[in-house]
Amino acid sequence: MVAVIAILWVFNLIFIKVSGSSVQKQLSNLNHADSLQQLTILLAQSKPDTSRIKYLIKIANHYINQEEKQQEHLAKALPYLVKARNLSHQLQSPYWEFRSLMMYARLLHRKKLKVQQASTYESAISIAKKMGNKRLEASAWHAYYVNIPDTVSDYRNKTFYNRAANAHALYKEIGTSFDEKYREARLLKAMADFHLEEEKFDLAISELFEVIALDKKFKLPNLPMAYDLLSAVYERKGELSKALNCALLSVKTAQNNKEEVLNTFLNRVGSAYEAMGKARESISWYSKTLNSEDKKDPYRFITAYAITSQMIKLGEQEKALAILKKTWSEVNNPSSGHEYFIFLAFGECYSALKKYDLAKKYFNLLLEETTLKTLSNPFQTSVFFSVSEFYFAQNKYGMALQFAEKAKENQISMTLPRQIRLNEILYKIDQSTQRPAEAILHLQNFHKLRDSMLSQENLNTIERLKIEFQASQKENENEILRKKSQLQSQELNRIQLIKNATITGSAFLTIVLVLIYGRFRLKKKLHDTLVKKKADIDLAYAKLEVNVQQKNKLIEEKESLIKEVHHRVKNNLQLTMSLLNSQSYYLEDLSAIEAIRESQHRLKSIALIHQKLYQTDHVATINIQPYIIELVAYLNESLTDGKRIKFELDILNLELDIAKAVPLGLIINEAITNIFKYAFPQVTTGKIDISLKEQEPNRYKLMIKDNGIGLPADFDFEQSRTLGLTLMKGLSAQIDGVFTMENRDGVLISLLFANTHDDLLLLND
């Protein structure tokens, strides 16, 4: 037995690391479940003081953090937060009211209710100010900045910038911890980015040097990104050697710190070389991003544009066009927001190939007023420049001058080579249109810009930076090789240790097996009869176990097949809806289009049934309450057409089989569709009540009521032959239901039906 214990101990040492992570994960899951149960107990035992508020917030936090069934868990979290805030008011505790509001803001963030979330942050900030607690105020401003994305109006009126500036000022004043200094640096970098767009270059540079000092002092992970943004500022300012130096530093720093070398850093080096007129070097760096593993990344459109613009300078238009077509097909995402870059690239490429009709098609896409409004100022300038070259190449000097003047308004956002080319175009246009004064001015600008790019100091600096970076890369490669060698040596030692342990364990195991076998032989004769009987029992048990396993496997396969059927039915219905949607684009008859839309709604009501059946463990029945809620939400969104219709739902938790659920869903669909079409012709507001209640055991009543104009006085629904009513009456008969329609302060539709299956359970909250 000692030998056996020794063997187990040796193998435990060898394999403990393999199993450790799995065990820790299981323990973590258990602790997670236990923590909620423990918090619930502590909450029940607590007195109405700040301890109770703390437990309420912790329980709410638990539900907010759940990824599965997110909406259900968020609904569970809300009552705890309401209780926490009410108790904070009663106890007159501003600190816990602040904590409750911040947690409520997180809940609104998960629900994507940005307006309410912003208002909640402002309330929390107001409380922190009244308390005089700058640390709480800073955290609220930071959360407000991070979690509420900037809109165009926010950006223009600087409210987005002010959030960052307020948080930064507070963290700069009170920040002491690593996290606070990290936030201070990130916020200051965001402010510098904003000042870059405002063309306040010196202020942006000053702020970024402060960010770099913070990163170095506190060893923050921001350093490569700070160098990257500093490179962009220097490039816009026209200090190209500094731009290249900072771009190379971003790559080098990321490598030295063992951080990911982002595509942004690589593209920034390419951009710096492009600004210096170094097309080959620029293409080399851009290609590292274009040839990355993720071929579907829409960011590759930007890189493809950058590469092709450099290839055009080198006269490689055909090769550039091939790259554009390949990238377009690989990414295959024409609505990513980055597609405008590749449109501009196609326009420039076809223009260089003198295929002006094709080029004009792409330029026109970019010059549409709705498109121009969405483009940034620097990109608009690039578009105007390319279009001016397009018209200049065709000797259409009037149009070329028009777009060249637009590009000149913001030429500082262009690379230096493009600024040089722009002044050259303007000079030649001035010559052709007999404007000697303007021609001399543009010629002077042309020579001034070209001389600054080709200055010996810049050329020497570029060459020095290139050599230094290559030497640094060599050193990094050598360091990687040394570390690989060390790792290989450690791996060999580990393998040898495992080998020795295995040999020792095998020897011990052999000895133990010999001893056990000897004892077994001595007792074998005495136990033959018992062993035989036991073998018979084991055989019978094994057969029984095999039968049970086969049965369970068949059941599982059947359930899986049923789920797959529901999944495929749902997908086929979605496909049919998409086909109908596509067909509607080619129709001009409004009634035909309306008929297709109504058919789509009917298909959606059926598709939701199959989706719910696929997503639940019950393959034969569906809980009708969440299905009706989701169907009503879909119809409200699809049919609203500017009307504000309020829904009041009172739906019983009820399990129905698909034979009843599908007709019920179609009846609801038809009723709501008719209400939107006919109930509120002259008003934009209204109310629809939908209820499903048990009238008596196993008999249920569905009622759908609106407060609209009601039925005409001479209307008889039993004699009506409209498609909607015919469907509702037919579907009611299909489930043996009693269907009625009457005027009652609007229209009231009722359906009484039975649900007598023994296996359906009524669920009570």
Side-chain angles (χ1 to χ4, degrees), residues 304-370:
Y305 164 63
I307 288 176
T308 53
S309 67
Q310 298 307 296
M311 285 184 168
I312 290 170
K313 291 179 184 178
L314 298 172
E316 300 175 357
Q317 296 92 323
E318 293 288 353
K319 186 177 179 182
L321 183 60
I323 289 175
L324 288 176
K325 290 180 178 179
K326 182 181 179 184
T327 306
W328 178 260
S329 64
E330 287 177 343
V331 176
N332 193 24
N333 189 351
S335 58
S336 64
H338 298 304
E339 67 274 9
Y340 299 120
F341 286 90
I342 209 160
F343 290 167
L344 183 56
F346 273 120
E348 290 183 2
C349 207
Y350 281 124
S351 181
L353 290 167
K354 302 189 185 304
K355 297 180 179 180
Y356 297 121
D357 289 341
L358 291 173
K360 188 174 182 180
K361 181 181 73 171
Y362 287 101
F363 286 138
N364 285 342
L365 286 173
L366 296 166
L367 291 172
E368 289 178 1
E369 185 177 354
T370 54

Coordinates of all heavy atoms in Angstrom, one line a residue, residues 304-370:
A304 N -6.0 49.5 -47.5 CA -6.0 49.3 -49.0 C -6.0 50.6 -49.7 O -5.2 50.8 -50.7 CB -7.2 48.4 -49.4
Y305 N -6.7 51.6 -49.3 CA -6.7 52.9 -49.9 C -5.3 53.5 -49.7 O -4.8 54.1 -50.7 CB -7.7 53.8 -49.2 CG -7.5 55.3 -49.5 CD1 -7.7 55.8 -50.7 CD2 -7.2 56.2 -48.4 CE1 -7.5 57.1 -51.0 CE2 -7.0 57.5 -48.7 CZ -7.1 58.0 -50.0 OH -6.9 59.3 -50.2
A306 N -4.7 53.4 -48.6 CA -3.4 54.0 -48.4 C -2.3 53.4 -49.3 O -1.5 54.1 -49.9 CB -3.0 53.8 -46.9
I307 N -2.4 52.0 -49.4 CA -1.4 51.3 -50.3 C -1.6 51.7 -51.8 O -0.6 52.0 -52.5 CB -1.6 49.8 -50.1 CG1 -1.0 49.4 -48.7 CG2 -0.8 49.1 -51.2 CD1 -1.2 48.0 -48.4
T308 N -2.9 51.7 -52.2 CA -3.1 52.0 -53.6 C -2.7 53.4 -54.0 O -2.2 53.7 -55.1 CB -4.6 51.7 -54.0 OG1 -5.4 52.4 -53.1 CG2 -4.9 50.2 -53.9
S309 N -2.9 54.4 -53.1 CA -2.6 55.7 -53.4 C -1.1 55.9 -53.6 O -0.6 56.7 -54.4 CB -3.0 56.7 -52.3 OG -2.3 56.4 -51.1
Q310 N -0.3 55.1 -52.8 CA 1.2 55.1 -53.0 C 1.6 54.3 -54.3 O 2.5 54.8 -55.0 CB 1.8 54.4 -51.8 CG 1.6 55.1 -50.5 CD 1.9 56.6 -50.5 OE1 3.1 57.0 -50.7 NE2 0.9 57.5 -50.4
M311 N 0.9 53.3 -54.6 CA 1.2 52.5 -55.8 C 0.9 53.4 -57.1 O 1.7 53.3 -58.1 CB 0.4 51.3 -55.9 CG 0.9 50.2 -55.0 SD 0.0 48.6 -55.2 CE 1.0 47.5 -54.2
I312 N -0.1 54.2 -57.0 CA -0.4 55.1 -58.1 C 0.7 56.1 -58.4 O 1.1 56.4 -59.5 CB -1.8 55.8 -57.9 CG1 -2.9 54.8 -57.9 CG2 -2.0 57.0 -58.9 CD1 -4.2 55.4 -57.5
K313 N 1.3 56.6 -57.3 CA 2.5 57.5 -57.4 C 3.6 56.8 -58.1 O 4.4 57.4 -58.8 CB 3.0 57.9 -56.0 CG 2.0 58.8 -55.3 CD 2.5 59.2 -53.9 CE 1.5 60.1 -53.2 NZ 2.0 60.4 -51.8
L314 N 3.8 55.4 -57.9 CA 4.8 54.7 -58.5 C 4.5 54.2 -59.9 O 5.2 53.4 -60.5 CB 5.2 53.5 -57.6 CG 5.7 53.8 -56.2 CD1 5.9 52.6 -55.4 CD2 7.1 54.6 -56.3
G315 N 3.3 54.5 -60.4 CA 2.8 54.1 -61.7 C 2.4 52.6 -61.8 O 2.3 52.0 -62.8
E316 N 2.0 52.1 -60.6 CA 1.5 50.7 -60.5 C 0.0 50.6 -60.4 O -0.5 49.9 -59.5 CB 2.2 50.0 -59.4 CG 3.8 50.0 -59.5 CD 4.5 49.4 -58.3 OE1 3.8 49.0 -57.3 OE2 5.7 49.3 -58.3
Q317 N -0.7 51.3 -61.3 CA -2.2 51.3 -61.1 C -2.9 50.0 -61.3 O -3.8 49.7 -60.6 CB -2.7 52.3 -62.2 CG -2.3 53.7 -62.1 CD -1.0 54.1 -62.9 OE1 -0.2 53.2 -63.0 NE2 -1.0 55.3 -63.4
E318 N -2.4 49.2 -62.2 CA -3.0 47.9 -62.5 C -2.9 47.0 -61.2 O -3.8 46.3 -60.8 CB -2.4 47.2 -63.7 CG -2.7 47.9 -65.0 CD -4.1 47.7 -65.5 OE1 -4.9 46.9 -64.8 OE2 -4.5 48.3 -66.5
K319 N -1.7 47.0 -60.7 CA -1.5 46.2 -59.5 C -2.3 46.7 -58.3 O -2.9 45.9 -57.5 CB 0.0 46.2 -59.1 CG 0.4 45.3 -57.9 CD 1.9 45.4 -57.7 CE 2.3 44.5 -56.5 NZ 3.8 44.6 -56.3
A320 N -2.4 48.0 -58.2 CA -3.2 48.6 -57.2 C -4.7 48.2 -57.3 O -5.4 47.9 -56.3 CB -3.1 50.1 -57.2
L321 N -5.2 48.2 -58.5 CA -6.6 47.9 -58.8 C -6.9 46.4 -58.4 O -7.9 46.1 -57.8 CB -7.0 48.1 -60.3 CG -8.4 47.8 -60.7 CD1 -9.4 48.7 -59.9 CD2 -8.6 48.0 -62.2
A322 N -5.9 45.5 -58.7 CA -6.1 44.1 -58.3 C -6.2 44.0 -56.8 O -7.0 43.2 -56.2 CB -4.9 43.3 -58.8
I323 N -5.4 44.7 -56.0 CA -5.4 44.7 -54.6 C -6.7 45.2 -54.1 O -7.3 44.6 -53.1 CB -4.2 45.6 -54.0 CG1 -2.9 44.9 -54.2 CG2 -4.5 45.8 -52.5 CD1 -1.7 45.7 -53.8
L324 N -7.3 46.3 -54.7 CA -8.6 46.8 -54.2 C -9.7 45.8 -54.4 O -10.5 45.5 -53.5 CB -8.9 48.1 -55.0 CG -8.1 49.3 -54.7 CD1 -8.5 50.5 -55.6 CD2 -8.3 49.7 -53.2
K325 N -9.7 45.1 -55.6 CA -10.8 44.1 -55.9 C -10.7 42.9 -54.9 O -11.7 42.4 -54.4 CB -10.7 43.7 -57.3 CG -11.1 44.8 -58.3 CD -10.9 44.2 -59.8 CE -11.4 45.3 -60.8 NZ -11.3 44.8 -62.2
K326 N -9.4 42.5 -54.7 CA -9.2 41.4 -53.8 C -9.7 41.7 -52.3 O -10.4 40.9 -51.7 CB -7.8 41.0 -53.8 CG -7.5 39.7 -52.9 CD -6.0 39.4 -52.9 CE -5.7 38.2 -52.0 NZ -4.3 37.9 -51.9
T327 N -9.3 42.9 -51.9 CA -9.7 43.3 -50.5 C -11.2 43.5 -50.4 O -11.8 43.0 -49.4 CB -9.0 44.6 -50.2 OG1 -7.6 44.5 -50.3 CG2 -9.3 45.0 -48.7
W328 N -11.8 44.0 -51.4 CA -13.3 44.2 -51.4 C -14.0 42.9 -51.3 O -15.0 42.7 -50.5 CB -13.7 45.0 -52.6 CG -15.2 45.2 -52.8 CD1 -16.1 44.5 -53.5 CD2 -16.0 46.2 -52.1 NE1 -17.4 45.0 -53.3 CE2 -17.3 46.0 -52.5 CE3 -15.6 47.2 -51.2 CZ2 -18.3 46.8 -52.0 CZ3 -16.7 48.0 -50.7 CH2 -18.0 47.8 -51.1
S329 N -13.5 41.9 -52.0 CA -14.2 40.6 -52.0 C -13.9 39.8 -50.7 O -14.8 39.1 -50.2 CB -13.7 39.7 -53.2 OG -12.4 39.4 -53.1
E330 N -12.7 40.0 -50.1 CA -12.4 39.3 -48.9 C -13.1 39.9 -47.7 O -13.7 39.1 -46.9 CB -10.9 39.4 -48.6 CG -10.0 38.5 -49.5 CD -8.5 38.7 -49.3 OE1 -8.1 39.7 -48.7 OE2 -7.7 37.9 -49.8
V331 N -13.2 41.2 -47.6 CA -13.9 41.8 -46.4 C -15.4 41.6 -46.6 O -16.1 41.2 -45.6 CB -13.6 43.3 -46.3 CG1 -14.4 44.0 -45.2 CG2 -12.1 43.5 -46.1
N332 N -15.9 41.8 -47.8 CA -17.3 41.6 -48.1 C -18.3 42.2 -47.1 O -19.2 41.6 -46.6 CB -17.6 40.1 -48.2 CG -18.9 39.7 -48.8 OD1 -19.4 40.5 -49.6 ND2 -19.5 38.6 -48.5
N333 N -18.0 43.5 -46.8 CA -18.9 44.2 -45.9 C -19.1 45.6 -46.4 O -18.4 46.6 -46.0 CB -18.2 44.2 -44.5 CG -19.2 44.8 -43.4 OD1 -20.2 45.3 -43.7 ND2 -18.8 44.7 -42.2
P334 N -20.1 45.8 -47.3 CA -20.2 47.2 -47.9 C -20.9 48.2 -47.1 O -21.0 49.3 -47.5 CB -21.1 46.8 -49.1 CG -21.9 45.7 -48.7 CD -21.0 44.8 -47.8
S335 N -21.2 47.9 -45.8 CA -21.9 48.9 -45.0 C -21.2 49.0 -43.6 O -21.9 49.1 -42.6 CB -23.4 48.6 -44.8 OG -23.5 47.3 -44.3
S336 N -19.9 48.9 -43.6 CA -19.2 48.9 -42.3 C -18.9 50.3 -41.8 O -18.5 50.5 -40.6 CB -17.8 48.1 -42.5 OG -17.0 48.8 -43.4
G337 N -19.0 51.3 -42.6 CA -18.6 52.7 -42.3 C -17.2 53.0 -42.8 O -16.8 54.2 -42.9
H338 N -16.4 52.0 -43.2 CA -15.1 52.2 -43.8 C -15.1 52.1 -45.3 O -14.1 52.2 -45.9 CB -14.1 51.2 -43.2 CG -13.9 51.3 -41.7 ND1 -13.5 52.5 -41.1 CD2 -14.0 50.4 -40.7 CE1 -13.5 52.3 -39.8 NE2 -13.8 51.0 -39.5
E339 N -16.3 51.8 -45.9 CA -16.3 51.5 -47.3 C -16.0 52.8 -48.2 O -15.6 52.6 -49.3 CB -17.7 51.0 -47.7 CG -18.9 51.9 -47.6 CD -19.5 52.0 -46.2 OE1 -18.9 51.3 -45.3 OE2 -20.5 52.6 -46.1
Y340 N -16.2 54.0 -47.5 CA -15.9 55.2 -48.3 C -14.4 55.3 -48.7 O -14.1 55.9 -49.7 CB -16.3 56.4 -47.5 CG -17.8 56.4 -47.2 CD1 -18.3 56.4 -45.9 CD2 -18.7 56.4 -48.2 CE1 -19.6 56.4 -45.6 CE2 -20.1 56.4 -48.0 CZ -20.5 56.4 -46.6 OH -21.9 56.4 -46.4
F341 N -13.5 54.7 -47.9 CA -12.1 54.7 -48.2 C -11.8 54.0 -49.5 O -11.1 54.4 -50.3 CB -11.3 54.2 -47.0 CG -11.2 55.1 -45.8 CD1 -12.1 55.0 -44.8 CD2 -10.2 56.0 -45.7 CE1 -12.1 55.8 -43.7 CE2 -10.1 56.8 -44.6 CZ -11.0 56.8 -43.6
I342 N -12.5 52.8 -49.6 CA -12.2 52.0 -50.8 C -12.9 52.6 -52.0 O -12.4 52.4 -53.1 CB -12.6 50.5 -50.6 CG1 -11.7 49.6 -51.4 CG2 -14.0 50.2 -50.8 CD1 -11.6 48.2 -51.0
F343 N -14.0 53.3 -51.8 CA -14.7 54.0 -52.9 C -13.7 55.1 -53.5 O -13.5 55.2 -54.7 CB -15.9 54.7 -52.5 CG -17.1 53.8 -52.2 CD1 -18.2 54.2 -51.5 CD2 -17.0 52.4 -52.5 CE1 -19.2 53.3 -51.2 CE2 -18.0 51.5 -52.2 CZ -19.2 52.0 -51.6
L344 N -13.0 55.8 -52.6 CA -12.1 56.8 -53.0 C -10.9 56.2 -53.7 O -10.4 56.7 -54.7 CB -11.6 57.6 -51.7 CG -10.6 58.8 -52.0 CD1 -11.2 59.8 -53.0 CD2 -10.3 59.5 -50.7
A345 N -10.5 55.0 -53.2 CA -9.3 54.3 -53.8 C -9.7 53.9 -55.2 O -8.9 54.0 -56.1 CB -8.9 53.1 -52.9
F346 N -10.9 53.3 -55.4 CA -11.3 52.9 -56.8 C -11.4 54.2 -57.7 O -10.9 54.1 -58.8 CB -12.7 52.3 -56.7 CG -12.7 50.8 -56.4 CD1 -13.3 50.3 -55.3 CD2 -12.0 49.9 -57.3 CE1 -13.2 48.9 -55.0 CE2 -12.0 48.6 -57.0 CZ -12.6 48.0 -55.9
G347 N -11.9 55.3 -57.2 CA -12.0 56.5 -58.0 C -10.6 57.0 -58.4 O -10.4 57.3 -59.6
E348 N -9.6 57.0 -57.5 CA -8.3 57.4 -57.8 C -7.6 56.5 -58.8 O -6.9 56.9 -59.7 CB -7.4 57.6 -56.6 CG -7.8 58.7 -55.7 CD -6.9 58.8 -54.4 OE1 -6.0 58.0 -54.3 OE2 -7.2 59.7 -53.6
C349 N -7.8 55.2 -58.6 CA -7.2 54.1 -59.4 C -7.7 54.2 -60.9 O -6.9 54.2 -61.8 CB -7.5 52.8 -58.8 SG -6.2 51.6 -59.2
Y350 N -9.0 54.3 -61.0 CA -9.6 54.3 -62.4 C -9.2 55.6 -63.0 O -9.0 55.7 -64.3 CB -11.1 54.2 -62.3 CG -11.6 52.8 -62.1 CD1 -12.4 52.4 -61.1 CD2 -11.2 51.8 -63.0 CE1 -12.8 51.1 -60.9 CE2 -11.6 50.4 -62.9 CZ -12.4 50.1 -61.8 OH -12.8 48.8 -61.7
S351 N -9.1 56.7 -62.3 CA -8.7 58.0 -62.8 C -7.3 57.9 -63.4 O -7.0 58.4 -64.5 CB -8.8 59.1 -61.8 OG -8.4 60.3 -62.3
A352 N -6.4 57.2 -62.6 CA -5.0 57.1 -63.0 C -4.9 56.2 -64.3 O -4.0 56.3 -65.1 CB -4.2 56.5 -61.9
L353 N -5.9 55.2 -64.4 CA -5.9 54.4 -65.6 C -6.6 55.0 -66.8 O -6.8 54.4 -67.8 CB -6.6 53.0 -65.2 CG -5.8 52.1 -64.3 CD1 -6.7 51.0 -63.7 CD2 -4.6 51.5 -65.0
K354 N -7.1 56.3 -66.6 CA -7.8 57.1 -67.6 C -9.2 56.4 -67.9 O -9.7 56.6 -69.0 CB -7.0 57.2 -68.8 CG -5.6 58.0 -68.6 CD -4.9 58.3 -69.9 CE -3.5 58.9 -69.6 NZ -3.6 60.1 -68.7
K355 N -9.7 55.7 -67.0 CA -11.1 55.1 -67.1 C -12.0 56.1 -66.4 O -12.5 55.8 -65.3 CB -11.2 53.7 -66.6 CG -10.3 52.7 -67.4 CD -10.4 51.3 -66.8 CE -9.5 50.3 -67.6 NZ -9.6 48.9 -67.1
Y356 N -12.2 57.2 -67.0 CA -12.9 58.3 -66.3 C -14.3 58.1 -65.9 O -14.8 58.6 -64.9 CB -12.7 59.6 -67.1 CG -11.3 60.0 -67.3 CD1 -10.7 60.2 -68.5 CD2 -10.4 60.3 -66.2 CE1 -9.4 60.6 -68.7 CE2 -9.1 60.6 -66.3 CZ -8.6 60.8 -67.6 OH -7.3 61.1 -67.7
D357 N -15.0 57.3 -66.8 CA -16.4 57.0 -66.5 C -16.6 56.2 -65.2 O -17.5 56.5 -64.4 CB -17.1 56.3 -67.7 CG -17.3 57.2 -68.9 OD1 -17.2 58.4 -68.7 OD2 -17.4 56.7 -70.0
L358 N -15.7 55.2 -65.1 CA -15.7 54.4 -63.9 C -15.3 55.2 -62.6 O -15.9 55.0 -61.6 CB -14.8 53.2 -64.0 CG -15.3 52.1 -65.0 CD1 -14.2 51.0 -65.2 CD2 -16.6 51.4 -64.6
A359 N -14.3 56.0 -62.8 CA -13.8 56.9 -61.7 C -14.9 57.8 -61.2 O -15.2 58.0 -60.0 CB -12.6 57.7 -62.1
K360 N -15.7 58.4 -62.2 CA -16.7 59.4 -61.8 C -17.8 58.7 -61.0 O -18.4 59.3 -60.1 CB -17.3 60.0 -63.1 CG -18.2 61.1 -62.8 CD -18.7 61.8 -64.1 CE -19.6 63.0 -63.8 NZ -20.0 63.7 -65.0
K361 N -18.1 57.4 -61.3 CA -19.1 56.7 -60.6 C -18.8 56.7 -59.1 O -19.7 56.9 -58.2 CB -19.3 55.3 -61.1 CG -20.4 54.5 -60.4 CD -20.5 53.1 -61.0 CE -19.3 52.2 -60.5 NZ -19.4 50.8 -60.8
Y362 N -17.6 56.4 -58.7 CA -17.2 56.3 -57.3 C -17.1 57.7 -56.7 O -17.5 57.9 -55.5 CB -15.8 55.6 -57.2 CG -16.0 54.1 -57.4 CD1 -15.6 53.5 -58.6 CD2 -16.5 53.3 -56.4 CE1 -15.7 52.1 -58.9 CE2 -16.6 51.9 -56.6 CZ -16.2 51.3 -57.9 OH -16.4 50.0 -58.1
F363 N -16.6 58.7 -57.4 CA -16.5 60.0 -56.9 C -17.9 60.6 -56.6 O -18.1 61.3 -55.6 CB -15.7 61.0 -57.8 CG -14.3 60.7 -57.9 CD1 -13.5 60.7 -59.1 CD2 -13.6 60.5 -56.7 CE1 -12.2 60.5 -59.1 CE2 -12.2 60.3 -56.7 CZ -11.5 60.3 -57.9
N364 N -18.9 60.3 -57.5 CA -20.2 60.8 -57.3 C -20.8 60.2 -56.0 O -21.6 60.9 -55.3 CB -21.1 60.4 -58.5 CG -20.8 61.3 -59.7 OD1 -20.2 62.4 -59.5 ND2 -21.2 60.9 -60.9
L365 N -20.5 58.9 -55.7 CA -21.0 58.3 -54.5 C -20.5 59.1 -53.2 O -21.2 59.3 -52.3 CB -20.5 56.9 -54.3 CG -21.1 55.8 -55.2 CD1 -20.4 54.5 -55.1 CD2 -22.6 55.6 -54.9
L366 N -19.3 59.6 -53.3 CA -18.7 60.3 -52.2 C -19.1 61.7 -52.1 O -19.2 62.4 -51.0 CB -17.1 60.3 -52.3 CG -16.5 58.9 -52.1 CD1 -15.1 58.9 -52.6 CD2 -16.6 58.4 -50.7
L367 N -19.5 62.3 -53.2 CA -19.9 63.7 -53.3 C -21.4 64.0 -53.0 O -21.8 65.1 -53.0 CB -19.5 64.3 -54.7 CG -18.0 64.5 -54.9 CD1 -17.8 64.9 -56.4 CD2 -17.4 65.5 -53.9
E368 N -22.2 62.9 -52.8 CA -23.6 63.0 -52.5 C -23.7 63.8 -51.1 O -22.9 63.6 -50.2 CB -24.2 61.7 -52.3 CG -24.4 61.0 -53.7 CD -25.1 59.6 -53.5 OE1 -25.4 59.3 -52.3 OE2 -25.3 58.9 -54.5
E369 N -24.6 64.7 -51.1 CA -24.7 65.6 -49.9 C -24.9 64.8 -48.6 O -24.2 65.1 -47.6 CB -25.9 66.6 -50.0 CG -26.0 67.6 -48.9 CD -27.1 68.6 -49.1 OE1 -27.7 68.5 -50.2 OE2 -27.3 69.4 -48.2
T370 N -25.7 63.7 -48.6 CA -25.9 62.9 -47.4 C -24.7 62.2 -47.0 O -24.4 62.0 -45.8 CB -27.1 61.9 -47.7 OG1 -26.7 61.1 -48.9 CG2 -28.4 62.6 -47.9

